[in-house]
Amino acid sequence: MKRRSFLTKINNWVIYILLTLAVAGVVIASIVLIDYLRKEEIKRIELFATAIKYQQEEIVEDPIALDLLLQISKTNNTIPVIVTDKNKIPIDGEGFQINIPKEIQNDPKKMKALLRKMESSYRPIELQMPNDNNQYVFYTNSDLLNNLRYSPYILGLLILAYIFFSFWFLRTIKKTDEGYVWAGLAKETAHQIGTPLSSMIGWITILRMENENSEGVKEIENDINRLKTISERFSKIGSVPELKDLNINETLQQNFDYLKSRISKKVIFRLIVPKQEILVPHNRILVSWVMENIVKNAVDSMKGEGRLEIELYEKNKYTVIDFKDSGSGMSNYQARNAFKPGYSTKKRGWGLGLSLAKRVIKEYHNGDIKIAHTEVGKGSTFRIMMINS
């Protein structure tokens, strides 16, 4: 079981690492693609600047070449461009301010601000012109490239969100399936107990007729009644139990009286309850089962000898029940896994007792059950918390 759990954890980590690498790969590929597009835009601007230079120098006499230069100038319909003189003052005229909004063209302050922004993004291209009348071509990224710049991070976040949602969804399905398995197992157990129990009830009736006052008959009858209770407990798993405002002191006392006569005499077993009644909405049969589970685990951890104390008290709006034993205690690993289905430190058993106890308290009673304190070699304290009436 431990080896399988270890291998399962390794597989989970492998899947997690592979998914992380896939997300990182998508993000890196997007960044590389955007960098490629950025470099392509720079090449287009350099070609555009060369075309402007040749058009102004009038050294090209071939009409076809002139038409080609004109077409190159007109192909830029996405990249913002401003051509300035040697003093970096924008040149007025067609083809010198491209893809610039009209409101910016008509406002000198906004034009200056845009030029500073362009210069901070890319170094302007200097055009060597006759008579030392050099020009500068200022440019910046197109709107498409600016928008794509954030796409790798958005895509990465979406993929991570999808992965986390998938894990949550699969975990929810797994918990639901476990719930159905527990419920089915509990009901089948109740059914299996019911058959020999009916037979035992018949035999105890015969024994009572032979010797009604026999001490043995009375004890067997008590145990048969207890088996009836256990069968009823199992049959309630999977269905919504009826909760009633009952005195939790009485529920504890009944279980304490029953268990005290059936656990080792070497265990000092104490119950501490307040004098006043504490009304808590609960199902007495199921809560008794939880208490019995915890007590039996405590006795097992003490190997039948030690001290077990149950204390009931109120804290704010909660009723708290502490089960403090002087047993072997638990390591951090054992404490973390104590309530997981199938986990057990014993050689025998299915490891369902504490997981079912948690289900009863948390899901049916809207309370909580946890290990409040544990220390190897010194014992553990299990704590149940339920809301008061």
Side-chain angles (χ1 to χ4, degrees), residues 1-2 5 178 182 185 337-346 348-356:
M1 173 68 79
K2 286 185 178 179
S5 176
E178 285 176 355
W182 292 352
L185 179 64
N337 293 279
F339 293 101
K340 289 184 179 178
Y343 180 79
S344 177
T345 56
K346 304 172 188 175
R348 293 180 295 175
W350 292 350
L352 290 176
L354 286 177
S355 60
L356 283 171

Side-chain angles (χ1 to χ4, degrees), residues 176-187:
T176 304
D177 289 342
E178 285 176 355
Y180 286 131
V181 170
W182 292 352
L185 179 64
K187 289 183 182 295

Side-chain angles (χ1 to χ4, degrees), residues 306-355:
R307 183 182 184 87
L308 174 59
E309 184 176 280
I310 304 175
E311 183 179 4
L312 173 68
Y313 58 94
E314 290 181 284
K315 186 175 182 181
N316 300 326
K317 62 177 181 178
Y318 291 98
T319 292
V320 182
I321 309 169
D322 281 347
F323 298 78
K324 187 176 181 180
D325 66 66
S326 61
S328 56
M330 286 180 277
S331 65
N332 291 333
Y333 176 80
Q334 290 172 331
R336 283 197 307 272
N337 293 279
F339 293 101
K340 289 184 179 178
Y343 180 79
S344 177
T345 56
K346 304 172 188 175
K347 293 182 179 179
R348 293 180 295 175
W350 292 350
L352 290 176
L354 286 177
S355 60

